[in-house]
């Protein structure tokens, strides 16, 4: 036994990432990546990058990138901190706002990293089970108050169900949560534009709200690791000035992220395409007899019509036939699998394989 | 006042990075970057990079890079964890091995980030003042035992003095420190090869030693953020499996880092060049009447011949004339400045400006 680890680290389990590519011809619909490449401006910048300048440290404050993002949201650069993927943003919130022994709160089910991050910080994890339709229990805020939660995580739209919470619902929770409310908007880009939710409004109206956005999903840049937090100046300042590593964003990521964000036309086309495919795929799945949860994300939670065939077996047999979806081996999700919306042809192959199995 | 931060974060100061480039024509000898670009293989890889594949997450375990590094050191991939620059490695050691309230120990003076990281973790910082010649006091290990330090940091070669400790000296400390000994080898590449120190030997012989190496200095890749920790399997496992972010190394960094490490011929030529320039520069500084500390790094600690002119004034006047060196406004270092070894022509301009001032 290693006697050097802190006891809480020794006794915890680490986070298990979704399976990465096994073979080049596999159809990978298990980790919610974009099936489309990033804008070709990323490729052009890489091809012309002045690699010689990599000998110097990057701008520690990522100024240009933060200015552009602030403008996108109608906020100031003091509201923004750039992070090395969304996971760094989540970790920094834990480091900055939660003392060991204090409580954090999240939905159940949710992104399993939250409880791992709480474990590392030696904080206490509390979770509130979602209703049968994956909606938030009405007493969520009351229970947050009672728990004295220092950091509450809500994924919106929700993973793995795809459910969307309105700005009103989130505001009510922000008003009554005692600590910081982190709204993880990892999948926000895929929300129907008619829902008119604005990140800047909720940030402007709540001094305790921190919003996470990432370029991993909507901008096809999971391989890059680039995300950012948006929040009140006083909430963001200690993260940027104290708890984040000084050079947490490489020179490459600062420049590549900027060109990706600048090409909003390309990004919007991708998001529209995913929304259209999501709706078609949902319809086809329903026609195959599955229960399909309405999704505002780039994935769909599919419930299997037991007892005919169970979800784990579907997962295994899809995997054998070269299609990877995500199966969560937990009590609540044991009869469901999550499928990322792929390109039209990927989705067609997935449906074909699935129809043979089910 | 923001009431959300943890009290220890609220009461601490953040780390202040060295000044970054002010103007394109400035001679930047203040943050120990390499004055040479990385190998052109980095440029070639960037120019031909398949940007479309950035839509997928990177290999979370950085397998190829770890395998190559393990082989370089005659160790196994289980001895290696890749980090996002050296600072992430230092932070992860703090997160993994030090409980809030426990002690960490370091030399004084040393890299000022160590105490900042201890502050974030709410751990206690203890420092041991170096002797007048910047050597380690003989009772260093005894004081580490008494302090019950869970994590002791030694920079070797030392910053900001440039002093080198032998493997024997480090082994003696490793044997007697109660917790983990982190040897920060950020500047190791510039050590004279005749000193024959081997990282793998100290790691093989001590279950409590963690060594940090970085590509920022010796490989001209400060802008990239890539480093790694080497240590006993049991010391490295909880970092890689639990405390590090799952995708802490981007696809770009994994591939670029690998080609940079593979071109050892280029790297060795750069290191030799720096060693030669370091020796010339030291000699010239001595001839100008400065006290020059023998250096095994890519920088030189220069002490001013007070009371003729003080170091802060030298720093300011060099800055005005377009040459940036590092001045540390602390009691122990107030009569010294640190200058990074530049190219021959950068060093010549620095010496010319300095000779006019002093």
């Amino acid at each position: 036994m290693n006697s050097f680890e802190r006891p809480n680290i020794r006794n915890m389990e680490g986070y298990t990432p979704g399976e990465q590519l096994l073979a080049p011809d596999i159809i990978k619909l298990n980790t919610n990546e974009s099936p489309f490449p990033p804008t070709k401006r990323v490729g052009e910048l890489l091809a012309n990058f002045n690699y010689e300048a990599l000998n110097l440290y990057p701008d520690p404050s990522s100024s240009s990138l933060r200015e552009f993002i602030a403008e996108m949201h109608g906020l100031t650069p003091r509201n923004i901190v750039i992070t090395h993927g969304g996971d760094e943003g989540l970790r920094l919130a834990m480091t900055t706002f939660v003392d060991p022994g204090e409580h954090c709160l999240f939905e159940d089910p949710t992104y399993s990293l939250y409880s791992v991050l709480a474990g590392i910080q030696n904080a206490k994890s509390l979770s509130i089970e979602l209703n049968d339709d994956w909606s938030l229990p009405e007493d969520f805020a009351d229970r947050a108050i009672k728990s004295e939660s220092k950091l509450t995580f809500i994924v919106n739209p929700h993973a793995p169900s795809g459910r969307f919470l309105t700005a009103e619902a989130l505001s009510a929770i922000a008003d009554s949560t005692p600590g910081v409310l982190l709204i993880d908007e990892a999948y926000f880009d895929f929300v129907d534009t008619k829902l008119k939710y604005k990140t800047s409004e909720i940030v402007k109206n709540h001094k305790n709200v921190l919003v996470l956005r990432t370029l991993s999903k909507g901008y096809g840049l999971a391989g890059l690791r680039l995300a950012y937090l948006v929040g009140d100046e006083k909430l963001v300042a200690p993260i940027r000035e104290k708890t984040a590593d000084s050079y947490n964003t490489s020179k490459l990521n600062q420049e590549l992220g900027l060109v990706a964000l600048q090409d909003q036309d390309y990004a919007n086309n991708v998001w529209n395409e995913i929304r259209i495919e999501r709706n078609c795929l949902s319809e086809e799945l329903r026609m195959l007899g599955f229960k399909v949860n309405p999704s505002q994300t780039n994935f769909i939670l599919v419930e299997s019509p037991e007892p005919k065939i169970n979800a784990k077996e579907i997962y295994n047999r899809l995997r054998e036939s070269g299609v990877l979806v995500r199966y969560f081996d937990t009590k609540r999700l044991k009869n469901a699998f999550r499928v990322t919306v792929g390109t039209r042809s990927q989705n067609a192959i997935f449906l074909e394989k699935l129809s043979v199995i089910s």
Side-chain angles (χ1 to χ4, degrees), chain A residues 55-347:
Chain A
N55 71 320
L56 298 181
Y57 281 98
D59 170 10
S61 59
S62 302
S63 310
S64 307
L65 190 53
R66 275 169 56 227
E67 275 164 31
F68 187 86
I69 291 169
E71 204 162 315
M72 273 178 66
H73 288 286
L75 295 164
T76 79
R78 292 159 66 97
N79 296 111
I80 312 292
V81 56
I82 309 294
T83 65
H84 188 64
D87 291 354
E88 189 195 13
L90 300 169
R91 172 172 52 75
L92 287 171
M94 190 68 72
T95 304
T96 310
F97 303 114
V98 188
D99 257 320
E102 292 184 328
H103 287 162
C104 358
L105 184 74
F106 27 81
E107 308 152 278
D108 176 26
T110 191
Y111 184 23
S112 61
L113 182 68
Y114 302 149
S115 63
V116 172
L117 294 172
I120 294 170
Q121 186 72 347
N122 210 4
K124 291 201 171 74
S125 287
L126 293 172
S127 62
I128 295 182
E129 209 176 330
L130 296 177
N131 298 327
D132 282 351
D133 63 353
W134 310 107
S135 62
L136 216 55
E138 288 222 351
D139 63 348
F140 188 90
D142 285 347
R143 288 165 72 180
I145 298 172
K146 282 198 195 101
S147 73
E148 298 180 346
S149 165
K150 296 301 283 280
L151 182 59
T152 299
F153 295 89
I154 289 190
V155 205
N156 192 45
H158 181 250
S161 77
R163 174 215 69 205
F164 179 72
L165 280 184
T166 63
E168 291 68 34
L170 287 167
S171 288
I173 294 167
D175 284 336
S176 54
T177 31
V180 173
L181 175 65
L182 190 146
I183 305 173
D184 183 343
E185 296 187 351
Y187 301 102
F188 190 81
D189 300 321
F190 310 105
V191 170
D192 287 334
T193 49
K194 65 171 191 269
L195 292 171
K196 293 189 186 304
Y197 170 98
K198 278 183 97 174
T199 297
S200 54
E201 293 305 314
I202 195 152
V203 164
K204 278 180 190 160
N205 295 327
H206 302 276
K207 295 208 175 300
N208 65 335
V209 167
L210 210 53
V211 174
L212 179 68
R213 288 289 192 100
T214 176
L215 278 74
S216 292
K217 274 84 181 184
Y219 294 86
L221 285 170
L224 197 65
R225 319 313 302 125
L226 194 63
Y228 58 94
L229 291 169
V230 191
D232 185 76
E233 285 185 22
K234 287 188 179 163
L235 216 49
V236 164
I239 300 176
R240 206 174 55 236
E241 294 164 10
K242 297 179 182 177
T243 54
D245 291 342
S246 306
Y247 301 106
N248 72 337
T249 311
S250 73
K251 195 173 288 193
L252 276 161
N253 278 17
Q254 291 184 30
E255 298 191 23
L256 293 169
L258 186 59
V259 298
L261 288 168
Q262 281 168 340
D263 196 352
Q264 285 292 312
D265 284 350
Y266 177 78
N268 274 291
N269 283 340
V270 164
W271 304 340
N272 271 327
E273 187 83 13
I274 301 275
R275 287 182 198 114
I276 292 165
E277 285 303 314
R278 172 179 75 204
N279 298 343
C280 294
L281 185 57
S282 298
E283 201 46 51
E284 301 253 25
L285 284 162
R286 276 189 200 102
M287 282 163 64
L288 284 176
F290 290 94
K291 186 181 165 202
V292 174
N293 290 279
S295 171
Q296 288 292 324
T297 63
N298 70 334
F299 57 81
I300 301 167
L301 187 67
V302 186
E303 295 178 61
S304 170
E306 247 191 337
K308 195 180 157 200
I309 184 165
N310 73 45
K312 189 170 189 175
E313 194 175 335
I314 292 177
Y315 158 77
N316 280 324
R317 288 175 62 182
L318 280 172
R319 196 170 186 282
E320 282 160 23
S321 72
V323 178
L324 219 50
V325 299
R326 187 83 185 251
Y327 178 71
F328 302 93
D329 209 349
T330 64
K331 192 180 157 217
R332 184 75 189 268
L333 289 163
K334 75 178 190 328
N335 203 30
F337 64 88
R338 191 193 68 189
V339 59
T340 305
V341 178
T343 59
R344 179 152 297 186
S345 70
Q346 289 178 323
N347 298 337

